[in-house]
Amino acid sequence: SAISLFREDLPVVCQINDIQHEYYPQFFTPEENIHRTSFYKNVCEKATALVAISQYTKDTFCEKYAFPAERIQVIHLSVQERLLRLSKAQKEAVLEPLGLSGKRYFYYPANFWRHKNHDVLLVAFNMLVKQGSDAHLVLTGSLADARQTLGDAVRQMGLTERVHFLGYVSDEQLAAIFQQCHALVFPSLFEGFGIPLVEAMSFDKPIVCSN
C-alpha cells in the first residue's frame, strides 16, 4: 500500500503483498520495474513497520530490500464470509445456466496475467484429456486481451467443449463452482499468498498446484 501521508511525528504502517517484479522482471515493462523498485525503496525509508500477507512475502522482502525482519509482522489473508455453502438445489440452480451441472471439472480462478500460467495449464489439461479423462476445465476472472489467444489454443487442441471461460462471476456463482469442482488447479508461477488455495480448503477440495 502506498504512503499517501508522511510526517516525521506520525508512525506509518504499510502492507506488502508481493514483490513479483524482483523474481519475474520479464513480466513487466522496464518502466514498471523501475517504478516498483523505487516504490518499495520509498516504503523502506518511510515506513515505521510493515505488514506482510505471508511468511514468504516477509522473507523475500527482507532478502531483496534488507528490511529489518523485526519490523515486519505477518498477518495472513482470510476466506471471505461471502463464500457460503449452498444447498444442493441452490447449487444446481446456479450451475445449470453456466453449463456445469453434472460435469466433473477442475477449477482455476485467476485473471490472465502472465505469471498465472494459463498457457501451461491448457497444455497439461490437453494431455489429461488425450489420456482419456472426461474432466472439464473451468476458468473465471478477466482474460482481457488474452481471450482470443487462449480461445485459439483451445480450438486447436480440440478442447472447445471441455474448457469453459466464464469471466467474472458473482459471489453465489463462485461458491457454487467451488462446491461442485473436482479440485482446484493452481499453476501460478508466483504468489504473495494465493487466496484461492485457502478458499478451496474451506470447501474441502483437493488442490493441484505449483510449489
Side-chain angles (χ1 to χ4, degrees), residues 1 3 7 27 32 35 56 63 76 114 144 147 178 190:
S1 55
I3 299 176
R7 288 184 0 205
F27 292 167
E32 286 174 326
H35 169 73
Y56 177 73
E63 174 191 348
H76 296 132
R114 290 176 63 189
R147 188 181 185 96
F178 258 123
F190 192 94

Side-chain angles (χ1 to χ4, degrees), residues 81-140:
E81 294 181 355
R82 59 189 171 84
L83 295 183
L84 301 175
R85 289 181 180 269
L86 307 177
S87 68
K88 183 176 181 180
Q90 289 174 320
K91 183 181 67 174
E92 287 301 314
V94 172
L95 294 178
E96 183 67 35
L98 298 177
L100 299 180
S101 181
K103 289 185 171 62
R104 177 174 172 270
Y105 59 85
F106 292 93
Y107 179 38
Y108 187 30
N111 290 332
F112 185 86
W113 294 317
R114 290 176 63 189
H115 73 280
K116 294 297 186 180
N117 218 12
H118 284 82
D119 295 342
V120 170
L121 173 59
L122 288 179
V123 171
F125 182 67
N126 185 43
M127 294 170 65
L128 182 68
V129 171
K130 294 299 186 286
Q131 292 172 4
S133 173
D134 64 347
H136 290 243
L137 176 63
V138 174
L139 305 174
T140 59

Side-chain angles (χ1 to χ4, degrees), residues 10-197:
L10 186 67
V12 176
V13 178
C14 293
Q15 177 175 300
I16 304 297
N17 294 324
D18 69 67
I19 50 171
Q20 182 194 149
H21 67 289
E22 294 284 356
Y23 294 87
Y24 289 95
Q26 66 271 29
F27 292 167
F28 303 89
T29 65
E31 294 76 18
E32 286 174 326
N33 281 314
I34 292 172
H35 169 73
R36 283 170 176 258
T37 300
S38 174
F39 174 86
Y40 286 117
K41 286 183 177 178
N42 181 58
V43 166
C44 289
E45 292 172 359
K46 295 181 178 179
T48 310
L50 299 177
V51 169
I53 61 174
S54 69
Q55 187 65 43
Y56 177 73
T57 291
K58 174 179 177 176
D59 291 345
T60 54
F61 193 85
C62 290
E63 174 191 348
K64 294 296 184 180
Y65 293 95
F67 196 84
E70 63 272 15
R71 287 168 56 196
I72 303 183
Q73 177 69 40
V74 175
I75 301 178
H76 296 132
L77 301 179
S78 63
V79 176
Q80 298 291 325
E81 294 181 355
R82 59 189 171 84
L83 295 183
L84 301 175
R85 289 181 180 269
L86 307 177
S87 68
K88 183 176 181 180
Q90 289 174 320
K91 183 181 67 174
E92 287 301 314
V94 172
L95 294 178
E96 183 67 35
L98 298 177
L100 299 180
S101 181
K103 289 185 171 62
R104 177 174 172 270
Y105 59 85
F106 292 93
Y107 179 38
Y108 187 30
N111 290 332
F112 185 86
W113 294 317
R114 290 176 63 189
H115 73 280
K116 294 297 186 180
N117 218 12
H118 284 82
D119 295 342
V120 170
L121 173 59
L122 288 179
V123 171
F125 182 67
N126 185 43
M127 294 170 65
L128 182 68
V129 171
K130 294 299 186 286
Q131 292 172 4
S133 173
D134 64 347
H136 290 243
L137 176 63
V138 174
L139 305 174
T140 59
S142 173
L143 298 177
D145 296 336
R147 188 181 185 96
Q148 183 65 46
T149 302
L150 289 179
D152 289 343
V154 166
R155 284 187 289 274
Q156 290 170 10
M157 293 177 185
L159 299 174
T160 304
E161 301 301 319
R162 295 292 193 94
V163 179
H164 306 260
F165 296 106
L166 301 184
Y168 286 122
V169 294
S170 67
D171 291 346
E172 186 180 44
Q173 289 171 323
L174 183 62
I177 293 168
F178 258 123
Q179 276 186 243
Q180 183 67 22
C181 76
H182 177 66
L184 175 78
V185 57
F186 201 81
S188 178
L189 296 173
F190 192 94
E191 295 292 324
F193 184 86
I195 189 66
L197 302 173

